[in-house]
Amino acid sequence: MTISTISSFTPKAPTLMGPGPSDVSQRVLNALAQPTLGHLDPSFVGLMDETKQLLQEVFQTNNQMTMPISAPGSAGMEACFVNLVEPGDKVIVCQNGVFGGRMYQNVIRSGGEAVLIEDPWGEQTKPEKLKAALEANPDTKIVAFVHAETSTGVENDAKTLCAIAKEYGCLTIVDTVTSLAGIPLYIDDWQIDASYSGTQKCLSCVPGLSPVTFSDLALEKIKSRKTPVQSWFLDLNLILGYWGQGKARAYHHTAPVNSVYAFHESLVAVLQEGLENSWNRHREVHNYLKQGLESLGLEFAVDEAYRLPQLNVVWIPKGIDDASTRAKLLNEFDLEIGAGLGEFAGKAWRIGLMGSSCTKANVDKCVSALTKILSN
Ligand SMILES: *Cc1c(COP(=O)(O)O)cnc(C)c1O
């Protein structure tokens, strides 16, 4: 192929029912396509301020330090760990899937001493285990865990885990990438000190930003560090000068201006629907999907009591080929579902009902496509 045969790219745009990204609505795409402003243009700075306020509402927090990091969810994760973990700090990480494992790696790379408590894939983190680990490690500074474990479809009991961490005087870092706007999440009420999320899951925005929020307690720890944050780009002391309060904004990096337009629009859309309505819609459409999948004989990998509505993990039936089934869904039915990840690779499918993708019409499309493929 020669370069001259390459022209503009037009995606086929299948329906996205995997673990993210989810379908981006036309209104968000329209926002993205607005003219680019200078990144210190006063009207862009005004938009940044509004974006922070909207995000505070969606996170249910009064934290001043609430903003999007200019990079995907994984960068928000790093921002939390590199800022809060100082060399030698003991951090308990609860792992019951892939994303808890990434937290563990972040603690180690930040020079912290990681204590890992593990629970089996598909099960919840057991609060008793966290309590026992805190008893055994009274010098623990931080407890970290994933609220919605996208690799298994499990919801961890964030409120209870944070309450235990607080009994022992610890800060809490919680991954809310898949939970934000999909299931109830209360940053302040649950005493979450630092959290990172993503735009491309239940907010249905384009990928590439990571909403984060930090409590005053977390800020105190960052301000009183004895060593500088090892990452220049993710050092919150520096980022604050750009996203911070007050009129004077100092150049730190060039914000992804158009992505911030899209993010702002997605937050406006969620709040126009209403946060609780959004949570309820995810639950209702999940129940509808559950009926459809169970009528096909598919079984969920996760107990109903702590199953995520926005991420449905089902076992692949015996005799059915994983990759070719997903390829057929994509090629013949314009539908993307997710493969299993980590321990669940080849064994389970991950069917996402996130944000704009979370509709009964999409469930109908998915169940009828699976019916046709599985009956062949
Ligand atoms: C998707 C996801 C991430 C990573 O987000 P990226 O935007 O892909 O970097 C982290 N944690 C969880 C629970 C996720 O589902």
Side-chain angles (χ1 to χ4, degrees), residues 56-376:
Q56 282 176 326
E57 182 66 23
V58 175
F59 263 135
Q60 293 285 289
T61 182
N62 292 315
N63 290 340
Q64 287 302 311
M65 199 190 249
T66 300
M67 75 228 158
I69 297 282
S70 303
S74 305
M77 171 176 67
E78 291 228 16
C80 289
F81 286 93
V82 295
N83 281 279
L84 284 170
V85 180
E86 275 196 273
D89 281 355
K90 193 175 265 188
V91 181
I92 293 181
V93 176
C94 310
Q95 183 182 8
N96 55 345
V98 163
F99 292 100
R102 292 185 173 186
M103 289 180 140
Y104 178 76
Q105 293 301 329
N106 267 262
V107 173
I108 292 170
R109 288 187 186 221
S110 303
E113 188 187 331
V115 176
L116 190 65
I117 36 175
E118 289 180 271
D119 276 288
W121 284 54
E123 289 181 22
Q124 271 186 317
T125 290
K126 309 273 182 306
E128 315 83 71
K129 279 197 185 173
L130 173 60
K131 219 174 160 92
L134 284 161
E135 283 292 333
N137 297 279
D139 52 341
T140 302
K141 300 254 173 68
I142 299 172
V143 169
F145 64 90
V146 179
H147 185 203
E149 186 39 270
T150 321
S151 61
T152 63
V154 165
E155 174 178 0
N156 283 318
D157 184 351
K159 185 182 179 184
T160 300
L161 296 174
C162 287
I164 293 170
K166 287 294 159 188
E167 273 174 43
Y168 292 82
C170 293
L171 291 177
T172 53
I173 300 180
V174 183
D175 175 329
T176 57
V177 177
T178 284
S179 58
L180 188 65
I183 49 173
L185 167 66
Y186 299 94
I187 294 289
D188 289 358
D189 286 356
W190 293 353
Q191 308 181 80
I192 296 173
D193 291 299
S195 186
Y196 54 94
S197 189
T199 47
Q200 78 276 26
K201 311 245 173 162
C202 297
L203 289 175
S204 270
C205 187
V206 289
L209 291 177
S210 179
V212 294
T213 186
F214 293 86
S215 71
D216 289 345
L217 264 183
L219 284 189
E220 263 172 46
K221 174 134 178 37
I222 296 169
K223 295 237 157 81
S224 64
R225 285 180 63 107
K226 292 178 197 72
T227 52
V229 174
Q230 129 263 329
S231 164
W232 180 87
F233 184 64
L234 295 174
D235 184 342
L236 285 173
N237 297 300
L238 302 178
I239 295 177
L240 247 195
Y242 186 38
W243 272 96
Q245 303 101 270
K247 292 276 173 287
R249 301 296 172 97
Y251 168 63
H252 175 257
H253 64 280
T254 307
V257 172
N258 293 59
S259 293
V260 178
Y261 300 166
F263 181 46
H264 179 276
E265 188 65 17
S266 71
L267 294 171
V268 168
V270 163
L271 294 176
Q272 281 175 351
E273 177 181 15
L275 254 189
E276 289 201 13
N277 292 337
S278 179
W279 300 335
N280 291 338
R281 172 169 54 87
H282 284 85
R283 180 61 59 189
E284 276 165 29
V285 177
H286 157 79
N287 285 334
Y288 186 59
L289 175 70
K290 175 176 164 271
Q291 282 172 19
L293 295 178
E294 287 178 348
S295 73
L296 280 172
L298 292 172
E299 283 172 25
F300 280 83
V302 173
D303 193 282
E304 213 167 345
Y306 44 85
R307 189 181 289 166
L308 288 171
Q310 66 272 49
L311 203 274
N312 297 268
V313 180
V314 289
W315 299 119
I316 301 171
K318 275 211 177 69
I320 298 295
D321 185 66
D322 173 22
S324 67
T325 304
R326 282 184 294 105
K328 264 188 206 158
L329 282 172
L330 187 61
N331 299 328
E332 296 170 25
F333 298 91
D334 284 331
L335 184 68
E336 179 183 288
I337 66 166
L341 195 61
E343 274 184 35
F344 284 4
K347 297 182 188 156
W349 288 320
R350 293 183 298 157
I351 304 176
L353 290 173
M354 298 181 179
S356 302
S357 296
C358 180
T359 65
K360 287 194 172 175
N362 280 353
V363 169
D364 289 339
K365 181 173 172 162
C366 177
V367 171
S368 90
L370 279 172
T371 306
K372 284 180 193 142
I373 296 174
L374 296 180
S375 64
N376 269 333

